[in-house]
Amino acid sequence: MTNAQVTDKHPGELADVPGWFPPLDQMLFTWFLERQQKQGTHGDLLELGVYLGKSAILLGHHLRPGETFTVCDLFEGEAPDGANQAEAAKSYSSLTRQAFERNYLSFHDTLPTVIAAPSSVVSEKVAPDTCRFVHIDASHLYEHVHGDIGAAHDILLPDGIVVLDDFRSEHTPGVSVAAWEAVLNRGLRPICLSTQKLYGTWGDPEPVQEDLLEMLRQRTDVGLSVQEAAGHRLIRTRSRGMKPPPFPTSRHYVAPVPAPARAETAEPRAARPARPAPSRARRLAKDLLPPVLTRAVRRVRASRA
């Protein structure tokens, strides 16, 4: 993984915030959170690993009165071990708390609760059975992901949703091992898979899967397949040219200046000026010239005879 390009400008749209949050996952986040709202599910939100705030900004948009949104990241802090420190230096050297807060406050009036520490402390900061949605996108090392999944299990409400980022990327095998271990041995039940994330629950996945399939089958911009593996129904999704879902612009948004309208037809070419009428002298010359030349030719031929 390489750093996304970081700018010091206030973002005008969510697309202006650097980070890895594809349109497919933006759509799925929005659908899960809106479904919870429609069903009257109340609970807090939690994100482990925020980078520059792209997914956190979307999550914060779905926060309702009486709920708390908590984010946890190292930012410029010290990692708990050498391997995590090397990972942070390689992939997240540009991450600062100031940059995250600048981006987030471009879209929201207040910041979430910010924990500037390793994700291992989150169990001490967030109470059990309080969250309806947890997004895990912190360290990609197996030991840390294993701990983050355990913390999410304790923090989530019984039917809460957990999302594991980078569960299938070639550069993050530790996440893959921890994710499928949780499915096989720790009671996590997959709901669906995107190209980048695994969406699951420790509750009953069937009702949400049925609603999800009904929605996905009506879309033409999502590739869809359903498979069975180890007793789990796996809904696989992939983007087919999907555009991000609508999202409010930031307080710094400046509408693009429309290009000047082009003329529908080209300007007519200037008319060629009319030729002047020939003078009387020219008309006489034109009429008399052939007879004169004829007589001259005859005189030349006679002199040669």
Side-chain angles (χ1 to χ4, degrees), residues 48-49 72 74 78-88 92 117-123 135-153 164-165 173-179 181-182 186:
L48 306 182
C72 179
L74 280 173
E78 290 294 323
D81 54 64
N84 195 192
Q85 183 63 42
E87 178 188 28
Y92 308 109
S119 59
S120 57
V121 309
V122 73
S123 295
H135 180 212
I136 299 177
D137 188 14
S139 171
H140 295 122
L141 303 176
Y142 167 78
E143 294 80 5
H144 298 287
V145 182
H146 182 275
D148 292 344
I149 292 174
H153 172 267
L164 306 178
D165 183 67
V175 182
S176 301
V177 174
E181 178 190 52
R186 303 174 75 185

Side-chain angles (χ1 to χ4, degrees), residues 1-302:
M1 179 183 293
T2 57
N3 284 321
Q5 185 177 1
V6 180
T7 71
D8 57 0
K9 297 180 180 179
H10 292 284
E13 300 177 278
L14 188 62
D16 297 331
V17 180
W20 305 271
F21 195 30
L24 175 60
D25 289 300
Q26 292 182 41
M27 182 275 288
L28 289 171
F29 268 52
T30 301
W31 184 85
F32 279 105
L33 292 162
E34 288 182 347
R35 181 179 184 273
Q36 289 181 333
Q37 182 175 358
K38 291 175 183 176
Q39 293 195 331
T41 303
H42 290 276
D44 297 333
L45 307 177
L46 172 65
E47 181 167 76
L48 306 182
V50 300
Y51 191 51
L52 293 171
K54 195 164 191 172
S55 54
I57 291 167
L58 187 148
L59 283 168
H61 182 64
H62 295 274
L63 189 67
R64 302 199 297 275
E67 297 179 337
T68 299
F69 180 25
T70 302
V71 301
C72 179
D73 206 295
L74 280 173
F75 297 107
E76 303 98 322
E78 290 294 323
D81 54 64
N84 195 192
Q85 183 63 42
E87 178 188 28
K90 178 181 179 181
S91 299
Y92 308 109
S93 59
S94 57
L95 172 59
T96 66
R97 181 168 177 172
Q98 180 183 15
F100 164 75
E101 293 183 353
R102 178 198 65 217
N103 291 337
Y104 192 90
L105 290 175
S106 294
F107 294 85
H108 300 286
D109 295 331
T110 58
L111 287 169
T113 300
V114 178
I115 302 173
S119 59
S120 57
V121 309
V122 73
S123 295
E124 305 168 10
K125 305 291 184 179
V126 182
D129 300 317
T130 57
C131 287
R132 58 185 170 94
F133 193 98
V134 174
H135 180 212
I136 299 177
D137 188 14
S139 171
H140 295 122
L141 303 176
Y142 167 78
E143 294 80 5
H144 298 287
V145 182
H146 182 275
D148 292 344
I149 292 174
H153 172 267
D154 296 337
I155 289 169
L156 274 171
L157 293 165
D159 290 318
I161 304 297
V162 62
V163 184
L164 306 178
D165 183 67
D166 274 336
F167 81 102
R168 56 181 293 181
S169 299
E170 55 86 20
H171 64 281
T172 56
V175 182
S176 301
V177 174
W180 292 117
E181 178 190 52
V183 170
L184 296 174
N185 301 325
R186 303 174 75 185
L188 179 63
R189 306 188 70 180
I191 297 172
C192 71
L193 314 175
S194 71
T195 308
Q196 190 164 321
K197 301 179 188 289
L198 184 154
Y199 296 73
T201 182
W202 277 276
D204 182 3
E206 187 171 349
V208 64
Q209 282 185 323
E210 291 301 319
D211 290 346
L212 180 62
L213 284 170
E214 182 180 359
M215 181 274 292
L216 292 174
R217 285 168 177 157
Q218 297 176 22
R219 301 185 65 115
T220 59
D221 57 356
V222 179
L224 175 65
S225 66
V226 180
Q227 298 181 7
E228 296 284 337
H232 296 279
R233 179 167 63 166
L234 305 177
I235 298 175
R236 299 176 60 241
T237 62
R238 65 185 185 279
S239 172
R240 287 181 172 173
M242 179 182 291
K243 302 296 182 183
F247 193 81
T249 56
S250 86
R251 66 186 78 252
H252 304 290
Y253 177 75
V254 177
V257 178
R262 297 181 61 183
E264 295 185 3
T265 58
E267 295 183 1
R269 182 179 298 177
R272 180 178 298 176
R275 293 182 179 179
S279 64
R280 185 171 180 272
R282 292 180 63 188
R283 291 198 303 269
L284 289 173
K286 184 178 180 180
D287 294 338
L288 296 176
L289 189 57
V292 172
L293 288 176
T294 301
R295 289 195 294 269
V297 170
R298 289 176 179 172
R299 285 197 297 269
V300 171
R301 289 178 178 174

